[in-house]
Amino acid sequence: MQKEGDVRIPSGCAISGIFSRSGKKMNGEAIIRSITTMHDRSNGLGGGFAAYGIYPRNKDLYAFHVFYGSARAKEECEKEIMANFDVTVAEKIPTRKMPEITDEPAIWRYFGLPFEKLLKDTQLDEREFVARCVVKINTQIKDAYVFSSGKNMGVFKAVGFPEDVGRYYCLENYEGYCWTAHGRYPTNTPGWWGGAHPFAMLDYSIVHNGEISSYDANRRFIEMFGYKCTLLTDTEVITYIIDYLNRKQGLSLKEVADVIAAPFWNEIDRLPQAEREKLTYLRNVFSSLLITGPFSILLGFSGGMMALNDRLKLRSMVVAEKGDMTYVASEECAIRAIETSPDRTFAPRGGEPVIVTLNKGVDA
């Protein structure tokens, strides 16, 4: 099988997202209907979903979703996981056999927490410890790939059209307050299970439509801080950039957007002094993390969702609101397939983040 970086296949993708600020749980049927509307934006080489709030019985445990290409990989990976985590559940992820999805790897999930002694010995906080373990598995154990590693959330992806992937993973049986979806039409790379979207690190997940021209500059910078871009795809590097800026550097999501989709210098020059100084600082300090080229992304995270276009808005993205619900999609038809009469519909400007979070006091 050809993997990322072996061949170039040009075209586009589709993204969709649903978020309930009240924490109302929805099963996967609505997001599947939404992404199905944009069937022609993908070509069957990748589809996937991220869902938040789906593991309430294990919400305080990290949920690791893992692809295995061989029995040896499973044995090695489980040895690594069991050595670092107090695992309470280890099971196959439920799937249904269907002719549209073929060449399946073994797909398992594990719920657990890092051993306290290891946290003390390494002097790492819990999330950094988990992130390093994920990077180690994905770079050192052949045919094993951890594709989801957050708490009370999960990524489900495969090679296939997204509507088929949703049925394959039985997403009608999961309920979450936030869903994102992706239909893949690979640019630069062939489709394989690990390369499908969403990409995830801890509770951050990214679905992306576009092709960034700054990939090499972004990759070289981010790999100086312990990340390894093993899949050679721009979506992977976007995920790591957001994890680095938000979790490690403590930037707000608005500031993250001001780094990766920074205003042009002539726009910054016209701003009031305080804002001008702040944006100048961000552009100078994180200049290698400016993402150039066309993109629209949906970031899912625990308790929220962010939509963002490139600063020139070279990729379509529409947002709609209805009561406590927020919808985002590449095309308005994907929103109206699940909400026929939104209260408000708009297209965000280039570089303008749309950030929604759970209402205060909501524990979903």
Side-chain angles (χ1 to χ4, degrees), residues 306-326:
M306 179 176 79
L308 181 67
N309 262 134
D310 65 87
R311 55 188 180 167
L312 288 175
K313 198 169 177 64
L314 297 173
R315 285 292 184 269
S316 60
M317 185 168 66
V318 180
V319 179
E321 298 171 343
K322 177 72 172 184
D324 79 304
M325 301 294 297
T326 299

Side-chain angles (χ1 to χ4, degrees), residues 71-330:
R72 177 203 53 78
K74 181 174 182 291
E75 181 180 350
E76 288 186 27
C77 184
E78 286 189 340
K79 183 178 179 181
E80 183 69 23
I81 291 174
M82 300 304 176
N84 290 283
F85 296 91
D86 182 10
V87 175
T88 59
V89 179
E91 62 186 8
K92 285 186 177 180
I93 293 181
T95 59
R96 59 166 56 95
K97 289 288 185 181
M98 48 195 299
E100 295 86 355
I101 305 295
T102 59
D103 300 321
E104 308 103 303
I107 313 171
W108 281 67
R109 63 185 169 201
Y110 308 84
F111 294 90
L113 288 171
F115 288 116
E116 285 293 334
K117 184 179 185 305
L118 293 180
L119 294 178
K120 292 178 181 177
D121 291 346
T122 58
Q123 297 185 347
L124 297 174
D125 68 70
E126 187 178 273
R127 299 183 80 200
E128 179 63 17
F129 182 89
V130 173
R132 292 190 185 190
C133 287
V134 169
V135 171
K136 181 179 180 181
I137 290 171
N138 289 349
T139 56
Q140 296 184 17
I141 301 179
K142 184 180 179 182
D143 294 331
Y145 183 67
V146 180
F147 63 99
S148 186
S149 55
K151 288 184 177 181
N152 201 15
M153 61 82 63
V155 167
F156 305 87
K157 61 184 184 177
V159 172
F161 285 102
E163 59 268 30
D164 298 327
V165 174
R167 295 199 307 273
Y168 173 76
Y169 279 107
C170 311
L171 294 188
E172 70 275 8
N173 296 330
Y174 296 85
E175 292 190 337
Y177 62 85
C178 173
W179 290 85
T180 65
H182 186 264
R184 194 175 189 212
Y185 202 139
T187 61
N188 303 313
T189 55
W192 74 291
W193 288 64
H197 301 202
F199 280 87
M201 172 59 76
L202 299 171
D203 66 308
Y204 301 107
S205 66
I206 289 285
V207 291
H208 164 233
N209 170 27
E211 181 175 9
I212 66 175
S213 56
S214 56
Y215 170 79
D216 278 327
N218 300 149
R219 177 188 57 79
R220 285 194 298 269
F221 181 92
I222 206 67
E223 287 190 339
M224 292 191 295
F225 299 95
Y227 300 94
K228 298 296 181 185
C229 296
T230 58
L231 301 181
L232 305 179
T233 68
D234 43 14
T235 312
E236 180 185 31
V237 79
I238 294 172
T239 307
Y240 296 158
I241 287 172
I242 291 175
D243 177 66
Y244 172 75
L245 292 174
N246 186 241
R247 178 175 66 89
K248 291 191 172 185
Q249 295 299 312
L251 271 62
S252 68
L253 289 176
K254 174 64 170 66
E255 291 168 336
V256 170
D258 287 336
V259 170
I260 65 178
F264 291 96
W265 285 115
N266 61 353
E267 296 174 343
I268 293 175
D269 289 341
R270 297 194 296 267
L271 295 172
Q273 181 178 353
E275 190 173 358
R276 183 172 68 247
E277 290 177 352
K278 179 179 180 180
L279 289 172
T280 299
Y281 171 82
L282 291 174
R283 284 214 60 175
N284 286 334
V285 173
F286 302 111
S287 59
S288 294
L289 298 183
L290 171 66
I291 297 175
T292 58
F295 69 82
S296 61
I297 62 173
L298 269 177
L299 164 69
F301 58 96
S302 291
M305 181 176 73
M306 179 176 79
L308 181 67
N309 262 134
D310 65 87
R311 55 188 180 167
L312 288 175
K313 198 169 177 64
L314 297 173
R315 285 292 184 269
S316 60
M317 185 168 66
V318 180
V319 179
E321 298 171 343
K322 177 72 172 184
D324 79 304
M325 301 294 297
T326 299
Y327 305 89
V328 184
S330 298

Side-chain angles (χ1 to χ4, degrees), residues 26-86:
M26 308 156 279
N27 69 18
E29 292 177 346
I31 193 68
I32 292 173
R33 289 203 310 275
S34 176
I35 199 71
T36 301
T37 308
M38 299 181 286
H39 175 88
D40 289 344
R41 294 180 70 102
S42 55
N43 67 352
L45 291 180
F49 302 80
Y52 291 79
I54 59 171
Y55 293 134
R57 287 186 294 180
N58 296 297
K59 66 178 183 178
D60 296 322
L61 306 179
Y62 289 94
F64 300 98
H65 292 189
V66 190
F67 290 140
Y68 294 122
S70 67
R72 177 203 53 78
K74 181 174 182 291
E75 181 180 350
E76 288 186 27
C77 184
E78 286 189 340
K79 183 178 179 181
E80 183 69 23
I81 291 174
M82 300 304 176
N84 290 283
F85 296 91
D86 182 10

